[in-house]
Amino acid sequence: MTDQPPASYSGPQRVLSGVQSSGALHLGNYLGALVKFTRLQHEIDTFIFVADLHAITVWQDPAQLANQTREIAAAYLAAGLDPKIATIFPQSAVPAHAELGWIFQCVARLGWLDRMTQFKEKSGKHKERSSVGLYTYPVLQAADILLYKGTQVPVGDDQKQHLELTRDIAAKFNHDFDAPGFFPLPEGLTEGPGARIMSLRDGSAKMSKSDPSDNSRINLTDDADAIAQKIRKAKTDPEPLPETLEDLKLRPEADNLVGIYGALAGLTKADVLAEFGGKGFGTFKPALADLAVAKLSPVSDAMRRYMADPAEIDAILAAGADKARAVAAPTLDEVKNIVGFWR
Ligand code: AMP
Ligand code: TRP
């Protein structure tokens, strides 16, 4: 008998995900990511971090960054992540992310990164002025996941390409270093009703932190009046809501609002149309505003309560970092051994 690892990964299942500490969270982050984290923690061992290393791929004010990290942690806790069940930590507190990230930079191919659409979007017309980190961003993301041998990665739809790259890196590492089954090929949990929430001002653009119009998004810190007003002002057409999903598909703004209603209420779009099909936005928007306020106010209230006690957040993050370092260390040790580093 040799002690060769099996060809396919046979280790435990683990959920791994994170959100960058680069500004206020919005409804898309909440429905596309946070709600899923909270649900999964009861099913699988769950590690959720604040991606502050990723945040600095674009400029962050050093006087604000630590507080932004606390704010994301407060949002996790407010959304229902329980530090007694899930491991919650800041990425920069575990140096192994950056170490494994370097090794993966030597595994990933330039051609793979050249295809990444998020870099193209974020670098815009001034690619040559972007940080190198913005370009290699998805390689660090692969390290985040594989350092913990994450098998399930709950994220919004926009992260699909980064997860494919993670699988490519895992497969190439396992192959090149003759370590079959060492890293799992993680699966993205990108489905679900909130996977792609669109701007309230433009049904063809993703709801995003970087949209210059604050009316395009509902922030987790918005109060009830702001939420209601943004929904009232949301772009729509003059027609009543359609009766069928086929007709809904032809109307991106209506589709988005129906999707948001469904995601918040735990209903399918078909359920929402069964209730509101044929009714005008004069009826639907107030119902959506009431629902959004009812679901989001407790979250923003809880966020404010956590933010009023930064010492408690810091204690949770420090304890999470201890647990994360303990899980990361043996993986990084094995990787160093596999790569052949002097030890
Ligand atoms: P980011 O703020 O870019 O770090 O994103 C954090 C998480 O929110 C990731 O899982 C994203 O895929 C998700 N996300 C961001 N924007 C949206 C959106 N408009 N709809 C659904 N999920 C989103
Ligand atoms: N790239 C992700 C985003 O923009 C954030 C992120 C960094 C992440 N590392 C990760 C998500 C690892 C999941 C797993 O949303």
Side-chain angles (χ1 to χ4, degrees):
M1 278 285 281
T2 66
D3 55 1
Q4 279 285 320
S8 60
Y9 183 73
S10 59
Q13 303 282 299
R14 182 169 284 142
V15 165
L16 202 297
S17 194
V19 174
Q20 298 180 75
S21 46
S22 54
L25 288 176
H26 55 69
L27 182 66
N29 302 129
Y30 179 68
L31 294 174
L34 271 57
V35 169
K36 290 187 200 161
F37 302 168
T38 304
R39 185 166 37 79
L40 285 160
Q41 70 183 335
H42 301 292
E43 297 165 19
I44 310 178
D45 187 23
T46 294
F47 279 57
I48 304 292
F49 64 97
V50 185
D52 50 357
L53 298 180
H54 279 103
I56 65 160
T57 55
V58 298
W59 175 251
Q60 302 297 333
D61 180 350
Q64 305 293 329
L65 184 58
N67 228 31
Q68 289 169 201
T69 298
R70 286 187 193 99
E71 206 169 277
I72 303 292
Y76 288 162
L77 298 166
L81 265 189
D82 179 348
K84 289 195 285 301
I85 304 176
T87 304
I88 306 170
F89 62 101
Q91 186 186 24
S92 62
V94 187
H97 287 248
E99 287 185 73
L100 185 60
W102 174 258
I103 294 168
F104 283 172
Q105 288 199 47
C106 303
V107 174
R109 304 290 94 178
L110 270 180
W112 300 356
L113 287 185
D114 280 341
R115 286 197 290 274
M116 295 293 119
T117 55
Q118 187 168 298
F119 175 75
K120 288 177 198 163
E121 280 158 27
K122 287 199 176 172
S123 60
K125 290 195 201 88
H126 302 292
K127 181 171 151 221
E128 64 287 348
R129 280 192 239 154
S130 299
S131 72
V132 175
L134 189 66
Y135 186 69
T136 59
Y137 177 116
V139 180
L140 180 61
Q141 183 163 349
D144 299 334
I145 299 167
L146 295 172
L147 185 58
Y148 304 93
K149 301 194 175 179
T151 52
Q152 271 104 319
V153 187
V155 277
D157 179 83
D158 58 355
Q159 296 298 310
K160 273 186 176 158
Q161 207 186 21
H162 290 168
L163 289 172
E164 274 165 35
L165 186 99
T166 299
R167 283 194 292 277
D168 287 344
I169 290 176
K172 187 164 165 58
F173 181 97
N174 291 352
H175 173 268
D176 288 0
F177 292 102
D178 199 17
F182 179 72
F183 283 124
L185 306 191
E187 181 200 350
L189 304 180
T190 52
E191 303 306 319
R196 192 168 176 80
I197 302 295
M198 308 308 278
S199 157
L200 298 180
R201 308 297 307 159
D202 175 358
S204 66
K206 213 179 56 168
M207 184 177 284
S208 145
K209 286 173 194 168
S210 54
D211 193 315
S213 164
D214 193 56
N215 279 329
S216 70
R217 62 184 160 262
I218 294 173
N219 301 303
L220 280 193
T221 47
D222 283 346
D223 61 21
D225 285 348
I227 295 175
Q229 203 188 63
K230 286 176 179 179
I231 290 175
R232 202 168 51 240
K233 284 194 184 159
K235 188 180 161 201
T236 41
D237 51 45
E239 303 296 316
L241 281 172
E243 311 266 356
T244 67
L245 290 174
E246 289 72 47
D247 291 343
L248 185 65
K249 278 199 192 109
L250 306 171
R251 295 169 55 192
E253 281 83 17
D255 190 12
N256 188 37
L257 295 185
V258 168
I260 291 174
Y261 191 103
L264 287 170
L267 297 172
T268 64
K269 287 182 187 177
D271 295 333
V272 181
L273 289 186
E275 193 176 341
F276 290 100
K279 295 189 180 150
F281 284 103
T283 306
F284 181 62
K285 279 182 170 179
L288 176 58
D290 286 349
L291 176 65
V293 169
K295 293 285 177 181
L296 299 178
S297 296
V299 180
S300 51
D301 290 349
M303 250 179 101
R304 268 189 292 276
R305 277 198 307 277
Y306 282 111
M307 283 306 281
D309 189 359
E312 189 196 344
I313 299 181
D314 287 351
I316 289 170
L317 289 176
D322 284 343
K323 278 206 267 172
R325 277 191 292 264
V327 174
T331 308
L332 189 67
D333 264 0
E334 278 182 272
V335 167
K336 287 181 170 174
N337 198 21
I338 288 171
V339 171
F341 285 152
W342 177 88
R343 280 143 41 84

